[in-house]
Amino acid sequence: LQDQTFRHGPGSSRYVEPKRTFEKALEISDLVVLDRERCVLCWRCVRFSDEVAGDRFIQLVDRGPGTQILTFKDEPFDSYFSGNTIQICPVGALTSKPYRFVSRPWDLMSAPSVCAYCSVGCPMTNDARSDKLVRTQALPNENVNDFWTCDKGRFGYHYVGSEERLRTPLLRKGDNFEQASWGQALDAIAARLRDGKRIGVIASGHLTTEDAWAISKLSKSVLETPHVDARIQDAGAPYELALGLSGAAGSSATLNDLESARTILWVGPDPKETLPVLYLRLRKAVLDKGAKLIVCSPRRISLDVFATHAIRCEPGAEARAVAGLMRATAQPAEAVNDIGDPFVVAWGPAAAGRDETPILQAVLALAHEREAKLLICPPHAGSQGMLDMGCHPLLDAGQAPAAEKGMGTREMLEAAAASELDALVIFGADLISDFPDAALAKRALESGVFTVVIELFATETATHADVVLPSAAYAEREATFTNLERRLQKLEPLLAPPGAALEPWRACASLARSLGEDWGWITFEDVWSDIRANVPTHSAIEVSHLNQASLAPHPAQESGYASGPDHAPAHAVVAGPGGQYPKGFRSGSPFQTGQNWPLSWELRAFEARQRPGIIAPAPPSNGGFDGDHPFTPRPAEAVGFALYSGRLLYDEGTMVSKSKALRGIARPAFVEMNPEDAAELGLSEGERAIVSGSGFEAELEVFLSDISKGAVFVPYDQKGLKANRLMSGLDTRVEVRKA
Ligand code: SF4
């Protein structure tokens, strides 16, 4: 409205009547502020919360001239999607608490990017003022996020500008670090790696596709080691099993396939906590498009609210439950009867520190038998890119089986702890915080193995390293992320990295040069020429196409007054609510990095149009899947409880904990139990219990739920407990007693 008035409105208001007054600027949550005097009662926020998010926290209250937008008494706007209401509010009545009064839109520099958190890969704009990232907003891509993001993606950006970012390479001198130049650091690393026989390389799932290719090439061609892996919290997830069925360790379904599916089976984590916009897509598929949803989980998850069938099972027994859906005579009969084509089977690693093999085998067998499409959901923004580029002990780049099998993350850490590795090179991973066996990670890093860490921050893992290299963050780089559909989307750089921080691919190329191999990479395009030449699945991908919108606009649209059958707007050009806006389209490049955008989101979305990205083709399936995996559930042990642990949206992860808007709103750790188990231990809701395992114990508040008997859920990384301290080996069991 501000933009429209500025462009087309009269210089002064003709409204002379008294205006409605309200108490100013109510904080209706930790993230959203409401100014009711600006509100025009358009209902957009109410309709979004009700129809899209399903979180009815905000409503029209009172009647007649007293009608106002408000949350319910004593109930904050406690939604994971609340920030979307800020973006669709046409008058700025709902504003972002962290961004409020930070900048006028015309003072911002903006660039399109992609969220760096989860594997949905929501496109975003990054907005900076005075070289500081001050806001991120959703960009529309109807193939991926519709027009939405979750609040973690929207408000979790402050870590980029944190004063704690690493700025220079550091070399260990005794118990301390000394600052060094890149040349000194690379020489020190090359001197140790040159003669290394057994080198392990571990990467984070938050790195880009280009980083993944560089890490894979450095490991397999320069360091000549097959021991490379990017699975950390998902260390027990055998993505490579999907190769025999769909030709790729990844999805054959797209997110849009969910909306044309007749039936969807979900076997995985709670998507509202881990893949929030996928939760919105599933909700839309069921409630708007009529899909039947079958959910298989050991505990109640967000999808149960609108699922057609919720199958509850013990942790690990999902395999048996999925196998039960395979034949027409199987159980539960109602769920089997509801399976129809098109059928999408979705799986993601649900719990850290357990072997997902039998579950994924059962999922693949079902997909094979019912000729269903697969949606494979690895956890992070860069996880799929790592699989595509061969950062995996059993895969080479281009979804090819590895020429030489290597060790996975767990085996590498065990080898390091046993002094059987010469060096560990760690890219962006805080193993002590994130690997589902903290004691093993610590033993490995304290074993004296020569360790190099490239990181954003001085994490606990980095403080154990011999050389620490500073890494550039996502808003500082030209790059791509590959999402869970295997869709590549482009990030444009907006900021300069702090100090001497570099992109991990550039660090790899520099290290390769120090070791005698010059890759000749100077620019992002150089990396892509190399990817196209060496990765068969990506040989036809033109990265310049990733900048492009779906369709070139019809010339008549440029006037903004297209009409008549010949001038009907191409639907792909319509982007978001602003798609109906009659003026404002500007021809030319959909985005020019760094350009000022003194426009509202609607106009900007319309102007920018959508950048759909490109899905890398999968190689043809080698037919190696016989559909007959012998999935044998583990026998239940008698003592203790099966530990089932997954992430909540706001946790103590490195990026979230350095983002000031989110830092304070993460829940403290808790233990969730079945009421019968709790009663046997004399525990009730809200009491304190001691949870112990692997020589570690923590006192936690008890919550009762319908989790299967014999199992407890503990969130993976919350204030008060990093659950990986309770874990050792696979499929950890814990003891619980009254505090
Ligand atoms: S759903 Fe995932 S990709 Fe999208 S904004 Fe949230 S964390 Fe980022």
Side-chain angles (χ1 to χ4, degrees):
L1 198 62
Q2 178 177 266
D3 294 333
Q4 301 316 311
T5 308
F6 185 72
R7 281 185 169 198
H8 311 293
S12 59
S13 172
R14 290 179 294 166
Y15 191 89
V16 292
E17 292 79 8
K19 294 183 178 174
R20 301 195 319 161
T21 55
F22 290 102
E23 183 190 336
K24 266 290 189 187
L26 294 180
E27 287 187 10
I28 56 173
S29 76
D30 290 310
L31 302 170
V32 182
V33 176
L34 168 64
D35 182 342
R36 288 165 294 174
E37 291 183 349
R38 293 179 177 181
C39 173
V40 292
L41 300 177
C42 72
W43 283 66
R44 280 183 171 193
C45 54
V46 176
R47 290 193 57 200
F48 168 81
S49 302
D50 186 14
E51 296 171 22
V52 180
D55 295 332
R56 304 177 73 182
F57 287 108
I58 192 162
Q59 258 302 347
L60 284 180
V61 300
D62 295 341
R63 291 289 177 270
T67 309
Q68 55 182 301
I69 289 287
L70 214 53
T71 50
F72 297 105
K73 196 168 181 302
D74 301 328
E75 275 188 42
F77 192 9
D78 196 6
S79 165
Y80 283 168
F81 305 101
S82 66
N84 294 294
T85 61
I86 298 168
Q87 199 166 340
I88 58 176
C89 175
V91 289
L94 291 160
T95 48
S96 153
K97 194 172 155 194
Y99 174 67
R100 206 172 146 75
F101 304 130
V102 168
S103 176
R104 289 290 188 183
W106 47 83
D107 290 330
L108 294 172
M109 300 286 282
S110 299
S113 189
V114 178
C115 174
Y117 283 105
C118 87
S119 59
V120 176
C122 299
M124 307 260 198
T125 45
N126 289 328
D127 296 328
R129 184 175 183 189
S130 307
D131 284 335
K132 194 156 187 171
L133 189 57
V134 293
R135 182 173 71 168
T136 62
Q137 300 206 89
L139 273 180
N141 184 346
E142 284 165 326
N143 300 302
V144 178
N145 62 327
D146 280 341
F147 318 108
W148 319 120
T149 66
C150 73
D151 286 355
K152 181 173 176 175
R154 183 181 298 271
F155 295 106
Y157 58 83
H158 289 103
Y159 74 91
V160 174
S162 167
E163 288 299 315
E164 296 171 47
R165 288 278 303 277
L166 291 169
R167 286 173 160 71
T168 54
L170 301 169
L171 292 179
R172 176 170 292 285
K173 286 279 181 295
D175 288 342
N176 298 316
F177 286 103
E178 279 183 4
Q179 293 189 357
S181 67
W182 271 91
Q184 290 167 324
L186 291 170
D187 287 348
I189 299 168
R192 295 296 296 265
L193 296 190
R194 193 167 283 123
D195 301 321
K197 296 276 176 290
R198 282 169 63 89
I199 298 171
V201 179
I202 300 174
S204 141
H206 289 291
L207 302 181
T208 66
T209 318
E210 298 72 33
D211 297 335
W213 169 237
I215 293 166
S216 175
K217 181 168 170 148
L218 177 74
S219 309
K220 296 183 179 179
S221 308
V222 180
L223 302 176
E224 296 181 353
T225 177
H227 311 308
V228 53
D229 203 351
R231 295 167 301 166
I232 298 171
Q233 78 178 50
D234 54 339
Y239 300 105
E240 70 284 356
L241 292 180
L243 215 58
L245 186 63
S246 58
S251 300
S252 56
T254 63
L255 291 167
N256 281 347
D257 284 330
L258 295 173
E259 291 180 14
S260 49
R262 180 161 159 214
T263 311
I264 302 164
L265 170 67
W266 177 264
V267 188
D270 187 339
K272 196 170 181 180
E273 300 289 351
T274 53
L275 305 158
V277 168
L278 174 58
Y279 164 81
L280 295 185
R281 297 293 306 255
L282 287 163
R283 189 174 185 278
K284 183 177 169 194
V286 175
L287 298 182
D288 291 0
K289 308 289 179 181
K292 307 264 189 200
L293 175 65
I294 304 169
V295 175
C296 180
S297 167
R299 62 190 280 264
R300 183 177 178 77
I301 60 174
S302 57
L303 299 179
D304 289 19
V305 175
F306 49 85
T308 321
H309 305 282
I311 303 173
R312 198 66 76 241
C313 58
E314 293 163 25
E318 292 98 320
R320 199 182 313 132
V322 172
L325 296 171
M326 281 184 49
R327 279 159 286 282
T329 53
Q331 293 297 326
E334 306 78 32
V336 177
N337 292 340
D338 271 337
I339 294 178
D341 294 331
F343 184 25
V344 176
V345 177
W347 166 84
R354 73 171 182 175
D355 181 6
E356 296 273 343
T357 306
I359 300 166
L360 182 54
Q361 284 173 338
V363 161
L364 294 174
L366 176 66
H368 180 255
E369 182 179 284
R370 303 299 301 238
E371 296 181 2
K373 285 191 172 180
L374 273 177
L375 194 71
I376 300 281
C377 306
H380 304 306
S383 300
Q384 186 61 51
M386 289 285 165
L387 293 168
D388 285 1
M389 292 295 134
C391 288
H392 189 286
L394 303 176
L395 293 173
D396 283 340
Q399 298 287 345
E404 184 185 354
K405 289 184 179 166
M407 293 188 282
T409 306
R410 183 176 294 279
E411 293 78 40
M412 282 189 259
L413 293 176
E414 283 166 350
S419 301
E420 290 167 3
L421 274 192
D422 297 323
L424 256 183
V425 186
I426 301 169
F427 290 87
D430 185 2
L431 298 170
I432 296 177
S433 283
D434 292 342
F435 182 73
D437 186 341
L440 172 61
K442 218 163 175 184
R443 276 202 313 281
L445 293 165
E446 289 173 352
S447 67
V449 62
F450 177 73
T451 305
V452 180
V453 170
I454 178 159
E455 252 300 355
L456 297 170
F457 295 97
T459 59
E460 198 177 348
T461 297
T463 57
H464 285 76
D466 296 283
V467 184
V468 181
L469 303 172
S471 172
Y474 85 108
E476 298 154 357
R477 9 200 345 204
E478 185 172 15
T480 63
F481 275 132
T482 307
N483 83 348
L484 54 78
E485 311 162 284
R486 304 188 59 248
R487 182 186 302 275
L488 288 143
Q489 297 182 98
K490 183 120 187 287
L491 295 73
E492 309 292 352
L494 178 64
L495 306 166
L502 289 180
E503 302 98 322
W505 66 256
R506 216 179 276 281
C508 289
S510 304
L511 183 54
R513 198 162 43 243
S514 300
L515 289 164
E517 268 201 34
D518 189 351
W519 296 346
W521 293 0
I522 307 291
T523 64
F524 170 79
E525 284 73 24
D526 295 336
V527 186
W528 264 93
S529 303
D530 204 38
I531 292 176
R532 272 199 302 278
N534 292 289
V535 183
T537 46
H538 289 57
S539 60
I541 291 178
E542 289 291 337
V543 272
S544 58
H545 292 174
L546 293 170
N547 295 336
Q548 290 174 1
S550 4
L551 286 179
H554 190 286
Q557 286 176 282
E558 300 201 15
S559 69
Y561 290 104
S563 62
D566 291 344
H567 295 158
H571 79 275
V573 174
V574 175
Q580 299 309 315
Y581 196 77
K583 284 188 180 177
F585 184 79
R586 185 163 59 196
S587 59
S589 165
F591 260 109
Q592 290 160 24
T593 303
Q595 183 171 344
N596 275 340
W597 293 101
L599 300 167
S600 73
W601 172 75
E602 289 188 357
L603 270 176
R604 191 163 51 164
F606 183 54
E607 196 164 23
R609 294 166 288 157
Q610 299 184 42
R611 310 200 312 170
I614 298 171
I615 296 185
S621 164
N622 60 11
F625 187 81
D626 57 13
D628 195 22
H629 281 300
F631 34 84
T632 42
R634 251 161 257 281
E637 294 172 40
V639 289
F641 293 86
L643 176 62
Y644 187 73
S645 181
R647 283 193 186 273
L648 304 186
L649 190 64
Y650 306 133
D651 61 8
E652 293 278 286
T654 306
M655 298 192 298
V656 175
S657 59
K658 307 281 187 212
S659 293
K660 65 179 184 210
L662 302 181
R663 203 164 38 212
I665 57 179
R667 284 177 73 180
F670 58 88
V671 56
E672 187 180 303
M673 303 187 74
N674 183 287
E676 289 181 36
D677 287 336
E680 279 174 25
L681 296 171
L683 285 164
S684 47
E685 175 107 358
E687 286 192 323
R688 312 285 298 175
I690 308 279
V691 181
S692 57
S694 309
F696 183 84
E697 61 179 39
E699 186 182 317
L700 304 173
E701 186 174 353
V702 174
F703 281 88
L704 302 183
S705 80
D706 69 344
I707 188 168
S708 106
K709 257 179 102 341
V712 292
F713 174 82
V714 176
Y716 195 55
D717 189 3
Q718 297 303 118
K719 222 178 292 172
L721 176 65
K722 290 192 180 298
N724 68 344
R725 308 222 156 147
L726 296 167
M727 297 177 179
S728 62
L730 291 167
D731 304 313
T732 297
R733 296 187 76 82
V734 291
E735 303 279 346
V736 181
R737 65 179 194 275
K738 200 167 176 150

